[in-house]
Amino acid sequence: MKPRVFAAFVGPSILMMLLFIAFPLLSVFWNSFNVTQPVYETVEVESCTAGFLEQTCTTEMKTRPILDEAGEIVRQTEFVGLQTYRNVLELDRLGEALTSGSWAAIQNIDFWKALRFTIMFTLVTLPLVVGFGLGIAMLINNASKLIRGPVIFVSLLPFIITPVIGALSINWLFRGDGILTAFLEWWLARDLALFAQAWTIELLMMVYRVWHVAPFAAIIFYAGLQTVNQDSIESAVIDGASRWQRLRLIIIPHLMPLIIFVAMIHLMDSYRVFEEVVGFRAEGYVISLQWLTYDFLKPDQAGNRSISRASASAMLTMIGIAILLVPLLKRTWRDHKGTR
Amino acid sequence: MTSKALRQPASLRIASGAFLALWCLIAAFPIAWITVMSFKSPVDAFDSNPLNVIFGPATRAGGSGWSILEIVLGLAVIYIAARLTVRRVPTLVASYSPGGYVALGWVVTAALVGVAFVLAFFGLLPIVTDLLTPLVGPLGRDIIGATTEHYQTVWVDRGFSNNFANSLIVTAGVVTISLSVGTLAGYGLARSGSTLAFWILIVALIFRALPHSVLVAGYLPVFINSAEWLSPILGENAPTLYGKPAAVIAVLVAINQPFTIWMLRSFFSNIPADLDEAARVDGCSHFKAFRLVIMPVMWPGVITTGLFSFLLAYNDFLVTSLLLDASNQTMVPAIAGMFNRETTTTDQVVAVAAAVSITAPLFLLVMVFQRQIVSGLTAGAVKG
């Protein structure tokens, strides 16, 4: 294919990605070092109230935004260097918390709280998703051909559901005396309040995520199980291998590329955990990195959006993505070299 | 044929079946349960006794419920609708869509099927049952308390139909644009073995991993002030991009593009290159070969990729909630706004009904396109 034809085919897509992915990245990078805010002036205001014989006058200094001729607030953009990053990271508070050795104090700083939860969420759900996915795939593979279709249909439902809605539906089952909380209370014979402390909410979020992603893993592993060489399994049986040995020595190595693929996708996606915080209305207890950026971007009560802080927290989030991507890129590069 | 050596003992088969049943229960339960809840009065919906939630005594006492007759007829309508959709619709779409517009045909058909079902179920069915109830005696007495008033509140009073229309506009825009841009790119990338093509794919992979909030942080200041910086080019009537569905469509298409081109490239790679070479020998240009020879055999791949684009656009919360204002909100952010003012339990059940309304189209989608979704998932995995 000639370069010219190639460009014609690929051009529109590249243009969209440059315009709407690469350019915003630059904009975020720039914004994280600059702050745009209204210009304030301090004026001396004398206010007098009527009193007996003479007025009582007080003068005070007031800060107010400067307005231009059109009555719009004048804004100016200022280079602040790493100041915004310092505001987001709150290093001095972190330092204090570290010297006092108090974990709870660290957990009061938004960024570190979000980072802690995001990493823990990612690492805890990863093995569960792979494990449950593999289990479900083998169960489906074991079922008779007649029921496989309906079973796959039901399995796809948690995967396909809108994440916010999925989290909400789990939320409704547990919130207050929801049906599953009532069941757990009856079963454990004790009173439960699942939304009153952070760790139970985190647990529910992880349960939700595993429920949501395990079907995806299961479908992929199920497809992989169809290509396991039956002859080698059969000869393993004849050699006296137990079921566990067959699973460990034949099936899992065969599925290994798929397991790595699922793990990679899951790492990328769960690092971006966000919808759970919205769906569980957990922002008072648990927040994630992406939610932090979202919160900065939302207008506050005065209608201002902290674009600069959001950009800084977005840049910090991307450091994590870069770390996650290195092994994936290495693998793709190796494959590419291998195919040529 | 399973050989004798691989035959499993009965105990293992039973255990495996039992666990599979358990998984199906876990997978379906939350969705099924909120569906049941959405038809009950608030007292019943949040009752801690599951039987009360299912049979809804308080709702029945309130005077609304379903009799055996209504349940049987309702199930029959659902069954027939599902049957017709699965059996007839694909062939109808294939025969009636004008050549080259099959995807559009699917979109139109899906909308038509949805509307027809809503009309039959909520419009026609009550009339029929009202006529029949006096004739059947005890079968016509209410046994399960159920009410559709929450759906009325959601769709009529709370203006959810506007949100639905917005969702429809955004998803339709995203699917068509991202497929038309993506098929071209996917084909180009699949047929070019150059290093440049490889690097484009790598960069796309990196873009795929970016959190969406990062990108939105980049758009927001630009979009809000767009009237200012677009005015030198467009003059007086430069639009503010913030709050415009078109801007959201462009953003979602771009976000979706890396995934789309990876997936389409893997589908195109499966089509032998001999096919377009033969067309080229016969004197077709690259574009003509693409349009006349490759596209006709690519429809399964395009439909599958379209499904995933649809899911991304339909399920999105982050981008739409930040870039659209309240007047043209899509469904998912709208429901988030709904539960923020959720003070009474009635409001909660209304939110549940809204959630079920959002899920219903997805349910239909899986029903019709199960095979394509599975093939899409596995195609992505096998090709990495």
Side-chain angles (χ1 to χ4, degrees):
Chain A
M1 195 178 264
K2 288 197 198 83
R4 213 206 220 131
V5 183
F6 179 68
F9 270 108
V10 181
S13 173
I14 303 281
L15 185 72
M16 290 224 69
M17 287 199 283
L18 282 181
L19 207 60
F20 289 102
I21 302 183
F23 170 72
L25 283 184
L26 291 180
S27 151
V28 166
F29 183 74
W30 189 82
N31 271 321
S32 71
F33 293 105
N34 293 277
V35 174
T36 304
Q37 58 193 59
V39 185
Y40 289 98
E41 60 181 350
T42 314
V43 284
E44 202 169 288
V45 183
E46 190 176 34
S47 50
C48 296
T49 46
F52 184 62
L53 293 180
E54 60 182 288
Q55 291 177 319
T56 359
C57 284
T58 46
T59 53
E60 54 182 342
M61 307 296 277
K62 267 198 176 162
T63 333
R64 64 177 187 204
I66 301 177
L67 303 180
D68 62 9
E69 300 86 40
E72 302 262 334
I73 296 172
V74 178
R75 290 169 187 278
Q76 80 175 13
T77 305
E78 196 183 352
F79 179 77
V80 292
L82 291 171
Q83 188 52 44
T84 320
Y85 286 90
R86 273 186 222 114
N87 289 344
V88 172
L89 289 171
E90 300 186 70
L91 284 175
D92 41 343
R93 272 180 78 191
L94 178 74
E96 264 170 49
L98 281 179
T99 44
S100 67
S102 147
W103 179 249
I106 302 177
Q107 290 306 300
N108 282 333
I109 312 172
D110 278 346
F111 178 81
W112 299 100
K113 187 169 146 187
L115 181 69
R116 202 265 321 153
F117 171 68
T118 307
I119 290 178
M120 200 172 109
F121 182 84
T122 308
L123 294 182
V124 172
T125 50
L126 177 64
L128 290 175
V129 163
V130 171
F132 276 103
L134 199 57
I136 296 165
M138 290 201 296
L139 289 178
I140 296 177
N141 198 34
N142 218 356
S144 78
K145 288 233 160 51
L146 276 176
I147 63 163
R148 278 185 201 178
V151 166
I152 290 179
F153 170 71
V154 173
S155 304
L156 277 174
L157 290 178
F159 170 68
I160 219 92
I161 194 173
T162 311
V164 174
I165 304 298
L168 264 176
S169 63
I170 305 274
N171 182 350
W172 279 317
L173 297 183
F174 283 101
R175 183 163 291 271
D177 269 335
I179 197 76
L180 290 183
T181 311
F183 172 72
L184 284 178
E185 281 177 344
W186 168 80
W187 192 36
L188 301 171
R190 52 174 291 194
D191 210 30
L192 293 174
L194 291 176
F195 287 87
Q197 59 276 323
W199 71 270
T200 41
I201 298 179
E202 284 177 29
L203 200 68
L204 283 179
M205 285 175 165
M206 289 172 193
V207 167
Y208 160 72
R209 184 51 79 105
V210 173
W211 176 77
H212 178 57
V213 187
F216 162 72
I219 300 281
I220 286 177
F221 294 150
Y222 170 70
L225 283 177
Q226 307 307 305
T227 58
V228 173
N229 188 346
Q230 290 300 315
D231 290 346
S232 55
I233 296 239
E234 210 163 314
S235 42
V237 175
I238 291 165
D239 288 347
S242 69
R243 281 180 197 288
W244 171 243
Q245 281 172 322
R246 267 179 272 158
L247 175 67
R248 195 166 55 93
L249 298 173
I250 298 176
I251 296 177
I252 296 213
H254 176 78
L255 292 181
M256 213 51 199
L258 296 182
I259 293 179
I260 292 175
F261 169 77
V262 168
M264 279 301 165
I265 294 281
H266 181 70
L267 278 179
M268 280 195 230
D269 287 349
S270 63
Y271 184 76
R272 301 192 287 204
V273 49
F274 167 73
E275 274 93 352
E276 280 88 341
V277 181
V278 177
F280 281 97
R281 274 169 267 175
E283 54 270 20
Y285 299 94
V286 183
I287 57 174
S288 71
L289 285 176
Q290 199 170 199
W291 191 87
L292 193 67
T293 313
Y294 169 80
D295 194 40
F296 286 137
L297 284 175
K298 265 199 322 194
D300 60 11
Q301 267 125 8
N304 294 319
R305 301 166 192 264
S306 353
I307 300 288
S308 171
R309 279 195 200 201
S311 305
S313 101
M315 292 302 292
L316 291 166
T317 313
M318 282 203 296
I319 296 174
I321 286 289
I323 296 170
L324 283 176
L325 271 176
V326 168
L328 183 65
L329 292 181
K330 259 188 182 162
R331 193 174 81 102
T332 320
W333 176 242
R334 220 175 40 226
D335 288 356
H336 176 66
K337 287 217 146 165
T339 52
R340 280 210 295 181
Chain B
M1 281 309 277
T2 30
S3 72
K4 211 170 186 181
L6 289 177
R7 197 160 293 162
Q8 294 168 326
S11 58
L12 189 72
R13 293 193 70 91
I14 291 170
S16 148
F19 275 114
L20 193 63
L22 180 69
W23 158 246
C24 288
L25 184 71
I26 293 173
F29 180 75
I31 301 167
W33 197 255
I34 63 166
T35 312
V36 171
M37 277 167 77
S38 69
F39 287 105
K40 307 292 163 172
S41 75
V43 181
D44 283 328
F46 289 96
D47 202 297
S48 56
N49 181 351
L51 288 178
N52 281 351
V53 183
I54 294 173
F55 291 108
T59 319
R60 202 172 63 213
S64 50
W66 292 335
S67 61
I68 292 180
L69 173 78
E70 284 169 310
I71 294 170
V72 168
L73 284 180
L75 288 178
V77 169
I78 293 175
Y79 179 78
I80 293 170
R83 197 79 184 175
L84 281 180
T85 314
V86 175
R87 285 285 158 87
R88 289 290 169 79
V89 164
T91 47
L92 282 180
V93 169
S95 58
Y96 279 96
S97 326
Y101 292 97
V102 181
L104 196 67
W106 274 108
V107 172
V108 173
T109 323
L112 282 181
V113 167
V115 170
F117 180 77
V118 167
L119 280 183
F121 199 79
F122 296 102
L124 204 60
L125 196 62
I127 302 172
V128 175
T129 48
D130 280 352
L131 284 177
L132 286 178
T133 305
L135 305 177
V136 288
L139 288 181
R141 215 171 296 145
D142 291 350
I143 53 156
I144 292 183
T147 165
T148 49
E149 63 172 312
H150 306 302
Y151 286 94
Q152 274 173 19
T153 316
V154 169
W155 286 87
V156 182
D157 304 348
R158 298 275 176 94
F160 212 58
S161 41
N162 285 338
N163 302 127
F164 181 75
N166 289 326
S167 276
L168 218 58
I169 293 171
V170 170
T171 43
V174 169
V175 170
T176 42
I177 298 177
S178 84
L179 282 183
S180 37
V181 175
T183 39
L184 286 173
Y187 177 70
L189 291 169
R191 289 293 181 261
S192 155
S194 66
T195 318
L196 179 67
F198 169 76
W199 282 110
I200 291 174
L201 284 167
I202 287 290
V203 172
L205 191 67
I206 296 173
F207 285 166
R208 153 87 172 74
L210 289 177
H212 299 167
S213 62
V214 174
L215 301 173
V216 179
Y219 304 132
L220 255 181
V222 182
F223 277 17
I224 291 175
N225 302 325
S226 68
E228 229 166 86
W229 58 263
L230 279 178
S231 56
I233 315 166
L234 296 175
E236 282 294 287
N237 45 12
T240 301
L241 290 174
Y242 173 76
K244 293 274 185 306
V248 169
I249 291 175
V251 165
L252 285 174
V253 167
I255 288 179
N256 204 14
Q257 206 48 216
F259 176 77
T260 316
I261 61 178
W262 268 88
M263 192 173 229
L264 283 169
R265 188 195 75 113
S266 81
F267 276 113
F268 277 119
S269 307
N270 285 343
I271 296 174
D274 302 347
L275 207 59
D276 33 332
E277 262 155 40
R280 298 265 291 139
V281 170
D282 289 349
C284 283
S285 71
H286 262 294
F287 280 103
K288 214 169 170 192
F290 170 73
R291 199 161 56 85
L292 297 177
V293 181
I294 303 298
M295 279 322 282
V297 290
M298 253 308 274
W299 282 114
V302 171
I303 289 175
T304 306
T305 316
L307 279 173
F308 283 88
S309 308
F310 173 87
L311 283 180
L312 177 118
Y314 188 83
N315 287 346
D316 178 82
F317 172 79
L318 191 100
V319 176
T320 42
S321 77
L322 283 173
L323 292 185
L324 289 176
D325 45 27
S327 62
N328 47 20
Q329 201 61 279
T330 55
M331 285 200 281
V332 181
I335 192 183
M338 210 175 271
F339 64 60
N340 275 340
R341 59 173 186 196
E342 196 181 80
T343 42
T344 63
T345 42
T346 313
D347 285 338
Q348 279 195 352
V349 185
V350 169
V352 173
V356 175
S357 311
I358 294 177
T359 315
L362 292 175
F363 188 85
L364 287 179
L365 197 77
V366 189
M367 208 135 89
V368 179
F369 292 111
Q370 180 178 344
R371 193 172 301 149
Q372 281 83 357
I373 293 173
V374 170
S375 83
L377 287 175
T378 45
V382 174
K383 293 284 168 184

